[in-house]
Amino acid sequence: MNTGRPGGSSPLQVVSTEAPKASCKWSDAPPDYDRILEFQLEELKFEGRYRQFIENGRLAGGFPQARMWRGGKESTITVWCSNDYLGMGQHPAVLEAMKSAIDTFGAGSGGTRNISGNHRPVVDLERELAQLHDKPAALVFSSGYVANLTVLETLAQLLPDCVFVSDAHNHASMIHGIRSSRAEKFIFRHNDPEHLEEILSQFPASRPKIVAFESVYSMDGDIAPIGPICDIAHRYGALTYLDEVHAVGMYGRSGAGVAERDAVGGRVDVVQATLAKAFGVVGGYIAASSAIIDAVRSFGSGFIFTTTVPPVVAAGALASVRHLKNSTSERQTLHERATLLRRHLKGRGLPVLGCASHIVPVMVGDPVLCKAASDYLLEKRKIYIQPINYPTVARGTERLRVTPGPCHSEAMIEDLVDALHETWVHLDMPFHLK
């Protein structure tokens, strides 16, 4: 008897070679819910994709070093997989703003935006974000995921017969928002403007269309041709929706993202980004026309029914955005560190993707080996890099996603490269990309 689940069959069913009996009925016994879920978890573990979290405490003023608690023991580790790309989560200006805000406003926000939660720090933050992206208005959400889900779903529901044309590598939050909208959707090949045009040319000019894509793709680290994509989208009357989550703070003269760096920000209709990565706090936002912002504010359930980010969070994010608008040293050092690390990895023959962004993926291609490499680095070298497996990336493209930043010294980079080389040799992993 085979107890696997080919074809996505339910764990409630036992796959058998025998034909089902016509009189087959559900048992009178209630489902064993824990057993059903445990079956799913065991499959995940068998495939090497079960995720384990380590307990670690970032050290303000000492990041990327952190304290780790594991097996009843405490040790110091170096973090190489944080999305706090610029170390702004420990910047003195951010910490001071948050300390002041909590003394002034207290801990929470008190409610949703229309029920007592529309506080001054979040209003000021939205004005600052609108100015950052040179848009008339902005709207802050509890997270980038919620922003993507809410905005894409809401726009499609408000625009009659709307159709989405989405990049093949878009983030799960964008996919979720598009699916939730129930609008028709088409997928264009990753970063392929010609395929985008081929799809858009099928629709009448009068039909509402939204082209959704990202600037920096977080797993491969490649960068979209924003200008050509926007030109084609507008040629066919489509709105452009750009996710700059992995770019804001790190690209452009004032840190507005790749669109600013490439001088094409004016061609983007809706820019979505986060406060949780380069800006070092938590939350998400969009910047767009006043009509788009007001429509999402008025109709988007993911905004209307969610408690506002607390004043302490908004104040910290505001301080971070303002600092990075005027300071280039953090992002300049970030890119220098990424270039240096990529060069050293290639010099040692390690299988690193040669992208042009700050993200440095070291390819493994096997979920079990990827987890083993992460464990070895942590146990033997006190280096923390979380393994990236399916469904975050496609099967066979498992990797260690390294995110060097301005807080990583050149000595740390040399130590990391030595540790990775040692790990590859110890686990007998391939040094060449397939």
Side-chain angles (χ1 to χ4, degrees), residues 282-343:
V282 68
Y285 67 91
I286 59 167
S289 69
S290 297
I292 289 175
I293 295 300
D294 201 16
V296 174
R297 182 189 71 86
S298 300
F299 292 96
S301 60
F303 174 81
I304 294 170
F305 298 106
T306 300
T307 299
T308 316
V309 294
V312 60
V313 170
L318 179 61
S320 183
V321 172
R322 285 176 172 168
H323 174 82
L324 291 172
K325 283 176 71 174
N326 297 303
S327 175
T328 61
S329 62
E330 289 87 0
R331 50 183 164 268
Q332 180 179 340
T333 306
L334 167 82
H335 295 294
E336 289 173 354
R337 294 288 188 265
T339 299
L340 180 63
L341 174 58
R342 192 174 285 110
R343 184 169 67 245

Short mmCIF file of all heavy atoms in Angstrom, two decimals, residues 282-343:
data_model
loop_
_atom_site.label_atom_id
_atom_site.label_comp_id
_atom_site.label_asym_id
_atom_site.label_seq_id
_atom_site.Cartn_x
_atom_site.Cartn_y
_atom_site.Cartn_z
N VAL A 282 9.63 48.17 10.67
CA VAL A 282 8.62 47.21 10.21
C VAL A 282 7.47 47.99 9.58
O VAL A 282 7.21 49.14 9.94
CB VAL A 282 8.10 46.32 11.37
CG1 VAL A 282 7.28 47.14 12.36
CG2 VAL A 282 7.30 45.13 10.87
N GLY A 283 6.79 47.36 8.60
CA GLY A 283 5.68 48.02 7.93
C GLY A 283 5.87 48.02 6.43
O GLY A 283 6.95 47.68 5.92
N GLY A 284 4.83 48.40 5.70
CA GLY A 284 4.90 48.52 4.25
C GLY A 284 4.17 49.77 3.81
O GLY A 284 3.50 50.43 4.61
N TYR A 285 4.27 50.09 2.52
CA TYR A 285 3.59 51.30 2.04
C TYR A 285 3.47 51.28 0.52
O TYR A 285 4.14 50.50 -0.16
CB TYR A 285 4.33 52.56 2.48
CG TYR A 285 5.70 52.76 1.85
CD1 TYR A 285 5.85 53.48 0.66
CD2 TYR A 285 6.85 52.26 2.45
CE1 TYR A 285 7.10 53.67 0.08
CE2 TYR A 285 8.10 52.45 1.89
CZ TYR A 285 8.22 53.16 0.71
OH TYR A 285 9.46 53.34 0.14
N ILE A 286 2.61 52.15 0.02
CA ILE A 286 2.56 52.45 -1.40
C ILE A 286 2.63 53.96 -1.57
O ILE A 286 2.26 54.72 -0.67
CB ILE A 286 1.29 51.92 -2.09
CG1 ILE A 286 0.02 52.51 -1.47
CG2 ILE A 286 1.25 50.40 -2.07
CD1 ILE A 286 -1.24 52.29 -2.29
N ALA A 287 3.10 54.39 -2.73
CA ALA A 287 3.08 55.80 -3.12
C ALA A 287 2.53 55.86 -4.53
O ALA A 287 2.93 55.08 -5.40
CB ALA A 287 4.48 56.41 -3.04
N ALA A 288 1.59 56.80 -4.76
CA ALA A 288 0.92 56.85 -6.06
C ALA A 288 0.15 58.16 -6.17
O ALA A 288 0.36 59.09 -5.39
CB ALA A 288 -0.02 55.64 -6.21
N SER A 289 -0.75 58.22 -7.15
CA SER A 289 -1.61 59.40 -7.31
C SER A 289 -2.56 59.52 -6.13
O SER A 289 -2.84 58.53 -5.42
CB SER A 289 -2.42 59.29 -8.60
OG SER A 289 -3.39 58.25 -8.50
N SER A 290 -3.09 60.71 -5.93
CA SER A 290 -4.03 60.92 -4.83
C SER A 290 -5.26 60.05 -4.98
O SER A 290 -5.80 59.53 -3.99
CB SER A 290 -4.43 62.40 -4.77
OG SER A 290 -3.30 63.22 -4.49
N ALA A 291 -5.72 59.86 -6.23
CA ALA A 291 -6.93 59.06 -6.45
C ALA A 291 -6.69 57.60 -6.08
O ALA A 291 -7.55 56.96 -5.46
CB ALA A 291 -7.36 59.17 -7.92
N ILE A 292 -5.53 57.05 -6.46
CA ILE A 292 -5.23 55.65 -6.13
C ILE A 292 -5.12 55.47 -4.62
O ILE A 292 -5.68 54.52 -4.04
CB ILE A 292 -3.95 55.19 -6.85
CG1 ILE A 292 -4.22 55.05 -8.35
CG2 ILE A 292 -3.43 53.88 -6.26
CD1 ILE A 292 -2.98 54.72 -9.17
N ILE A 293 -4.41 56.38 -3.98
CA ILE A 293 -4.23 56.27 -2.52
C ILE A 293 -5.57 56.38 -1.82
O ILE A 293 -5.89 55.59 -0.90
CB ILE A 293 -3.27 57.36 -2.02
CG1 ILE A 293 -1.87 57.15 -2.59
CG2 ILE A 293 -3.23 57.36 -0.49
CD1 ILE A 293 -1.22 55.84 -2.23
N ASP A 294 -6.41 57.33 -2.23
CA ASP A 294 -7.70 57.50 -1.57
C ASP A 294 -8.61 56.30 -1.81
O ASP A 294 -9.36 55.88 -0.92
CB ASP A 294 -8.37 58.78 -2.06
CG ASP A 294 -9.44 59.28 -1.09
OD1 ASP A 294 -9.46 58.84 0.08
OD2 ASP A 294 -10.25 60.13 -1.50
N ALA A 295 -8.55 55.72 -3.00
CA ALA A 295 -9.37 54.54 -3.30
C ALA A 295 -8.98 53.36 -2.43
O ALA A 295 -9.83 52.66 -1.87
CB ALA A 295 -9.25 54.18 -4.78
N VAL A 296 -7.67 53.11 -2.30
CA VAL A 296 -7.22 51.99 -1.46
C VAL A 296 -7.54 52.26 0.00
O VAL A 296 -7.98 51.37 0.74
CB VAL A 296 -5.70 51.76 -1.65
CG1 VAL A 296 -5.20 50.70 -0.68
CG2 VAL A 296 -5.40 51.35 -3.10
N ARG A 297 -7.36 53.51 0.43
CA ARG A 297 -7.69 53.88 1.81
C ARG A 297 -9.16 53.66 2.11
O ARG A 297 -9.54 53.23 3.20
CB ARG A 297 -7.34 55.36 2.02
CG ARG A 297 -7.59 55.88 3.44
CD ARG A 297 -7.43 57.38 3.49
NE ARG A 297 -8.53 58.06 2.80
CZ ARG A 297 -9.70 58.37 3.37
NH1 ARG A 297 -9.93 58.04 4.64
NH2 ARG A 297 -10.63 58.98 2.68
N SER A 298 -10.01 53.90 1.10
CA SER A 298 -11.46 53.85 1.31
C SER A 298 -12.07 52.47 1.08
O SER A 298 -13.13 52.17 1.65
CB SER A 298 -12.14 54.86 0.36
OG SER A 298 -11.69 56.17 0.61
N PHE A 299 -11.41 51.64 0.25
CA PHE A 299 -12.01 50.36 -0.12
C PHE A 299 -11.18 49.13 0.29
O PHE A 299 -11.70 48.02 0.29
CB PHE A 299 -12.25 50.29 -1.63
CG PHE A 299 -13.30 51.23 -2.13
CD1 PHE A 299 -12.95 52.47 -2.64
CD2 PHE A 299 -14.64 50.89 -2.07
CE1 PHE A 299 -13.92 53.35 -3.12
CE2 PHE A 299 -15.62 51.76 -2.54
CZ PHE A 299 -15.26 53.00 -3.06
N GLY A 300 -9.91 49.31 0.60
CA GLY A 300 -9.04 48.17 0.87
C GLY A 300 -9.24 47.59 2.25
O GLY A 300 -8.84 48.20 3.26
N SER A 301 -9.82 46.39 2.33
CA SER A 301 -10.11 45.81 3.65
C SER A 301 -8.84 45.52 4.44
O SER A 301 -8.84 45.61 5.67
CB SER A 301 -10.94 44.53 3.48
OG SER A 301 -10.23 43.56 2.73
N GLY A 302 -7.74 45.18 3.76
CA GLY A 302 -6.50 44.92 4.47
C GLY A 302 -5.92 46.16 5.12
O GLY A 302 -5.07 46.07 6.01
N PHE A 303 -6.38 47.33 4.68
CA PHE A 303 -5.99 48.58 5.32
C PHE A 303 -7.05 49.01 6.34
O PHE A 303 -6.71 49.34 7.48
CB PHE A 303 -5.82 49.68 4.27
CG PHE A 303 -5.57 51.05 4.86
CD1 PHE A 303 -4.31 51.41 5.28
CD2 PHE A 303 -6.61 51.95 5.01
CE1 PHE A 303 -4.07 52.66 5.85
CE2 PHE A 303 -6.39 53.21 5.57
CZ PHE A 303 -5.12 53.56 5.99
N ILE A 304 -8.31 48.97 5.95
CA ILE A 304 -9.38 49.49 6.79
C ILE A 304 -9.47 48.75 8.13
O ILE A 304 -9.65 49.37 9.19
CB ILE A 304 -10.74 49.36 6.06
CG1 ILE A 304 -10.75 50.28 4.84
CG2 ILE A 304 -11.90 49.69 6.99
CD1 ILE A 304 -11.95 50.06 3.92
N PHE A 305 -9.29 47.41 8.09
CA PHE A 305 -9.55 46.60 9.28
C PHE A 305 -8.28 46.17 10.02
O PHE A 305 -8.32 45.23 10.81
CB PHE A 305 -10.39 45.38 8.90
CG PHE A 305 -11.74 45.75 8.33
CD1 PHE A 305 -12.00 45.63 6.98
CD2 PHE A 305 -12.73 46.24 9.16
CE1 PHE A 305 -13.23 45.98 6.45
CE2 PHE A 305 -13.97 46.60 8.65
CZ PHE A 305 -14.22 46.47 7.29
N THR A 306 -7.17 46.85 9.75
CA THR A 306 -5.91 46.51 10.42
C THR A 306 -5.48 47.67 11.32
O THR A 306 -5.50 48.83 10.91
CB THR A 306 -4.80 46.23 9.39
OG1 THR A 306 -5.18 45.14 8.57
CG2 THR A 306 -3.49 45.90 10.09
N THR A 307 -5.07 47.34 12.52
CA THR A 307 -4.58 48.35 13.45
C THR A 307 -3.38 49.09 12.86
O THR A 307 -2.50 48.49 12.25
CB THR A 307 -4.19 47.69 14.79
OG1 THR A 307 -5.35 47.08 15.35
CG2 THR A 307 -3.63 48.71 15.77
N THR A 308 -3.36 50.39 13.05
CA THR A 308 -2.28 51.23 12.54
C THR A 308 -0.94 50.84 13.17
O THR A 308 -0.88 50.44 14.33
CB THR A 308 -2.56 52.70 12.89
OG1 THR A 308 -3.93 52.99 12.65
CG2 THR A 308 -1.68 53.64 12.09
N VAL A 309 0.14 50.99 12.40
CA VAL A 309 1.45 50.77 13.01
C VAL A 309 1.60 51.74 14.18
O VAL A 309 1.16 52.89 14.11
CB VAL A 309 2.59 50.97 11.98
CG1 VAL A 309 2.56 49.92 10.89
CG2 VAL A 309 2.57 52.37 11.39
N PRO A 310 2.21 51.32 15.28
CA PRO A 310 2.34 52.18 16.45
C PRO A 310 3.17 53.43 16.16
O PRO A 310 4.03 53.42 15.28
CB PRO A 310 3.05 51.29 17.47
CG PRO A 310 2.78 49.90 17.03
CD PRO A 310 2.73 49.97 15.53
N PRO A 311 2.94 54.51 16.89
CA PRO A 311 3.73 55.73 16.71
C PRO A 311 5.23 55.50 16.83
O PRO A 311 6.03 56.10 16.11
CB PRO A 311 3.22 56.65 17.82
CG PRO A 311 1.83 56.17 18.10
CD PRO A 311 1.87 54.70 17.88
N VAL A 312 5.63 54.58 17.74
CA VAL A 312 7.05 54.32 17.93
C VAL A 312 7.66 53.75 16.66
O VAL A 312 8.80 54.06 16.30
CB VAL A 312 7.28 53.38 19.14
CG1 VAL A 312 6.60 52.04 18.95
CG2 VAL A 312 8.76 53.18 19.41
N VAL A 313 6.92 52.91 15.94
CA VAL A 313 7.41 52.33 14.69
C VAL A 313 7.47 53.39 13.59
O VAL A 313 8.45 53.49 12.86
CB VAL A 313 6.51 51.15 14.26
CG1 VAL A 313 6.84 50.70 12.85
CG2 VAL A 313 6.66 49.99 15.25
N ALA A 314 6.39 54.17 13.47
CA ALA A 314 6.35 55.21 12.45
C ALA A 314 7.45 56.24 12.66
O ALA A 314 8.07 56.71 11.70
CB ALA A 314 4.98 55.88 12.44
N ALA A 315 7.70 56.59 13.91
CA ALA A 315 8.74 57.57 14.21
C ALA A 315 10.12 57.04 13.85
O ALA A 315 10.96 57.77 13.30
CB ALA A 315 8.69 57.95 15.69
N GLY A 316 10.38 55.77 14.14
CA GLY A 316 11.66 55.18 13.77
C GLY A 316 11.83 55.11 12.28
O GLY A 316 12.91 55.40 11.74
N ALA A 317 10.77 54.72 11.56
CA ALA A 317 10.84 54.65 10.11
C ALA A 317 11.06 56.03 9.50
O ALA A 317 11.84 56.19 8.55
CB ALA A 317 9.55 54.04 9.56
N LEU A 318 10.38 57.03 10.04
CA LEU A 318 10.53 58.40 9.54
C LEU A 318 11.97 58.88 9.71
O LEU A 318 12.55 59.46 8.78
CB LEU A 318 9.57 59.32 10.30
CG LEU A 318 9.62 60.81 9.94
CD1 LEU A 318 9.27 61.02 8.46
CD2 LEU A 318 8.65 61.60 10.84
N ALA A 319 12.57 58.61 10.85
CA ALA A 319 13.96 59.00 11.08
C ALA A 319 14.90 58.29 10.11
O ALA A 319 15.85 58.88 9.60
CB ALA A 319 14.36 58.70 12.53
N SER A 320 14.61 57.03 9.83
CA SER A 320 15.45 56.25 8.93
C SER A 320 15.36 56.77 7.50
O SER A 320 16.37 56.94 6.81
CB SER A 320 15.05 54.77 8.99
OG SER A 320 15.88 53.98 8.19
N VAL A 321 14.13 57.02 7.04
CA VAL A 321 13.93 57.53 5.68
C VAL A 321 14.63 58.87 5.51
O VAL A 321 15.32 59.11 4.51
CB VAL A 321 12.43 57.66 5.36
CG1 VAL A 321 12.21 58.36 4.02
CG2 VAL A 321 11.77 56.28 5.33
N ARG A 322 14.47 59.75 6.48
CA ARG A 322 15.10 61.08 6.40
C ARG A 322 16.62 60.98 6.40
O ARG A 322 17.30 61.69 5.65
CB ARG A 322 14.61 61.94 7.56
CG ARG A 322 13.18 62.44 7.36
CD ARG A 322 12.68 63.22 8.57
NE ARG A 322 11.38 63.86 8.28
CZ ARG A 322 10.60 64.41 9.20
NH1 ARG A 322 10.97 64.40 10.49
NH2 ARG A 322 9.45 64.96 8.85
N HIS A 323 17.15 60.10 7.23
CA HIS A 323 18.60 59.94 7.26
C HIS A 323 19.14 59.45 5.92
O HIS A 323 20.11 60.00 5.39
CB HIS A 323 19.01 58.97 8.37
CG HIS A 323 20.47 58.66 8.36
ND1 HIS A 323 21.41 59.48 8.95
CD2 HIS A 323 21.17 57.62 7.81
CE1 HIS A 323 22.61 58.97 8.77
NE2 HIS A 323 22.49 57.84 8.09
N LEU A 324 18.50 58.43 5.36
CA LEU A 324 19.00 57.83 4.12
C LEU A 324 18.75 58.70 2.90
O LEU A 324 19.40 58.53 1.86
CB LEU A 324 18.39 56.45 3.92
CG LEU A 324 18.88 55.39 4.92
CD1 LEU A 324 18.10 54.09 4.78
CD2 LEU A 324 20.38 55.13 4.75
N LYS A 325 17.82 59.65 2.99
CA LYS A 325 17.64 60.61 1.91
C LYS A 325 18.85 61.53 1.77
O LYS A 325 19.16 62.01 0.68
CB LYS A 325 16.38 61.46 2.14
CG LYS A 325 15.08 60.74 1.81
CD LYS A 325 13.88 61.59 2.15
CE LYS A 325 13.71 62.76 1.19
NZ LYS A 325 12.44 63.50 1.45
N ASN A 326 19.53 61.74 2.88
CA ASN A 326 20.64 62.70 2.89
C ASN A 326 22.01 62.06 3.03
O ASN A 326 23.02 62.72 2.82
CB ASN A 326 20.44 63.69 4.05
CG ASN A 326 19.18 64.51 3.89
OD1 ASN A 326 19.00 65.19 2.89
ND2 ASN A 326 18.28 64.44 4.87
N SER A 327 22.07 60.79 3.37
CA SER A 327 23.34 60.10 3.56
C SER A 327 23.52 59.03 2.50
O SER A 327 22.64 58.18 2.30
CB SER A 327 23.40 59.46 4.95
OG SER A 327 24.57 58.68 5.10
N THR A 328 24.66 59.06 1.82
CA THR A 328 24.94 58.04 0.79
C THR A 328 25.95 57.00 1.26
O THR A 328 26.18 56.01 0.58
CB THR A 328 25.49 58.71 -0.48
OG1 THR A 328 26.72 59.39 -0.17
CG2 THR A 328 24.49 59.70 -1.05
N SER A 329 26.56 57.21 2.42
CA SER A 329 27.66 56.34 2.85
C SER A 329 27.21 54.91 3.07
O SER A 329 27.91 53.96 2.72
CB SER A 329 28.32 56.90 4.12
OG SER A 329 27.39 56.93 5.19
N GLU A 330 26.01 54.73 3.67
CA GLU A 330 25.54 53.38 3.97
C GLU A 330 25.34 52.57 2.68
O GLU A 330 25.80 51.43 2.58
CB GLU A 330 24.23 53.42 4.76
CG GLU A 330 24.37 53.90 6.18
CD GLU A 330 24.30 55.41 6.31
OE1 GLU A 330 24.13 56.09 5.27
OE2 GLU A 330 24.39 55.92 7.45
N ARG A 331 24.64 53.13 1.70
CA ARG A 331 24.40 52.36 0.48
C ARG A 331 25.66 52.20 -0.37
O ARG A 331 25.84 51.18 -1.03
CB ARG A 331 23.24 52.92 -0.34
CG ARG A 331 23.24 54.38 -0.64
CD ARG A 331 21.94 54.73 -1.41
NE ARG A 331 21.68 56.16 -1.41
CZ ARG A 331 20.96 56.79 -0.50
NH1 ARG A 331 20.41 56.10 0.48
NH2 ARG A 331 20.76 58.09 -0.55
N GLN A 332 26.54 53.19 -0.34
CA GLN A 332 27.80 53.05 -1.08
C GLN A 332 28.64 51.91 -0.51
O GLN A 332 29.15 51.07 -1.25
CB GLN A 332 28.60 54.36 -1.02
CG GLN A 332 29.92 54.29 -1.75
CD GLN A 332 30.68 55.62 -1.70
OE1 GLN A 332 30.09 56.68 -1.46
NE2 GLN A 332 31.98 55.57 -1.92
N THR A 333 28.73 51.85 0.83
CA THR A 333 29.50 50.78 1.46
C THR A 333 28.84 49.43 1.24
O THR A 333 29.51 48.41 1.04
CB THR A 333 29.66 51.05 2.97
OG1 THR A 333 30.21 52.35 3.17
CG2 THR A 333 30.58 50.02 3.61
N LEU A 334 27.50 49.40 1.27
CA LEU A 334 26.76 48.16 1.00
C LEU A 334 27.19 47.56 -0.34
O LEU A 334 27.53 46.37 -0.43
CB LEU A 334 25.26 48.44 0.98
CG LEU A 334 24.36 47.34 0.41
CD1 LEU A 334 24.09 46.28 1.46
CD2 LEU A 334 23.05 47.92 -0.11
N HIS A 335 27.18 48.36 -1.39
CA HIS A 335 27.50 47.85 -2.72
C HIS A 335 28.98 47.48 -2.84
O HIS A 335 29.33 46.52 -3.54
CB HIS A 335 27.08 48.85 -3.78
CG HIS A 335 25.59 49.05 -3.84
ND1 HIS A 335 24.73 48.05 -4.23
CD2 HIS A 335 24.80 50.11 -3.53
CE1 HIS A 335 23.49 48.48 -4.18
NE2 HIS A 335 23.51 49.74 -3.74
N GLU A 336 29.83 48.19 -2.14
CA GLU A 336 31.26 47.84 -2.13
C GLU A 336 31.46 46.48 -1.47
O GLU A 336 32.24 45.64 -1.97
CB GLU A 336 32.06 48.91 -1.39
CG GLU A 336 32.16 50.23 -2.14
CD GLU A 336 32.82 51.31 -1.30
OE1 GLU A 336 33.09 51.06 -0.09
OE2 GLU A 336 33.05 52.43 -1.82
N ARG A 337 30.76 46.24 -0.37
CA ARG A 337 30.89 44.96 0.33
C ARG A 337 30.35 43.81 -0.52
O ARG A 337 30.94 42.73 -0.58
CB ARG A 337 30.13 45.01 1.66
CG ARG A 337 30.71 45.99 2.68
CD ARG A 337 32.02 45.48 3.25
NE ARG A 337 32.47 46.31 4.36
CZ ARG A 337 33.33 47.32 4.27
NH1 ARG A 337 33.85 47.63 3.08
NH2 ARG A 337 33.69 48.00 5.33
N ALA A 338 29.23 44.03 -1.19
CA ALA A 338 28.65 42.98 -2.03
C ALA A 338 29.58 42.64 -3.19
O ALA A 338 29.78 41.47 -3.53
CB ALA A 338 27.29 43.42 -2.56
N THR A 339 30.16 43.66 -3.80
CA THR A 339 31.10 43.44 -4.91
C THR A 339 32.33 42.68 -4.44
O THR A 339 32.80 41.74 -5.11
CB THR A 339 31.51 44.78 -5.54
OG1 THR A 339 30.34 45.44 -6.04
CG2 THR A 339 32.50 44.58 -6.68
N LEU A 340 32.84 43.07 -3.28
CA LEU A 340 34.03 42.41 -2.73
C LEU A 340 33.74 40.95 -2.41
O LEU A 340 34.54 40.06 -2.75
CB LEU A 340 34.48 43.15 -1.48
CG LEU A 340 35.72 42.58 -0.76
CD1 LEU A 340 36.95 42.67 -1.67
CD2 LEU A 340 35.97 43.33 0.55
N LEU A 341 32.62 40.68 -1.77
CA LEU A 341 32.27 39.31 -1.42
C LEU A 341 32.10 38.46 -2.67
O LEU A 341 32.63 37.33 -2.74
CB LEU A 341 30.99 39.28 -0.59
CG LEU A 341 30.42 37.89 -0.27
CD1 LEU A 341 31.44 37.05 0.49
CD2 LEU A 341 29.11 38.00 0.50
N ARG A 342 31.39 38.97 -3.66
CA ARG A 342 31.17 38.21 -4.88
C ARG A 342 32.50 37.88 -5.57
O ARG A 342 32.70 36.77 -6.06
CB ARG A 342 30.24 38.99 -5.82
CG ARG A 342 29.72 38.17 -6.98
CD ARG A 342 28.70 38.94 -7.78
NE ARG A 342 27.41 39.02 -7.11
CZ ARG A 342 26.91 40.13 -6.58
NH1 ARG A 342 27.59 41.25 -6.64
NH2 ARG A 342 25.75 40.11 -5.98
N ARG A 343 33.42 38.84 -5.58
CA ARG A 343 34.73 38.62 -6.20
C ARG A 343 35.51 37.54 -5.47
O ARG A 343 36.12 36.66 -6.08
CB ARG A 343 35.52 39.93 -6.25
CG ARG A 343 36.85 39.80 -6.97
CD ARG A 343 37.49 41.14 -7.25
NE ARG A 343 37.91 41.84 -6.04
CZ ARG A 343 37.41 42.97 -5.60
NH1 ARG A 343 36.42 43.57 -6.29
NH2 ARG A 343 37.85 43.54 -4.51
#
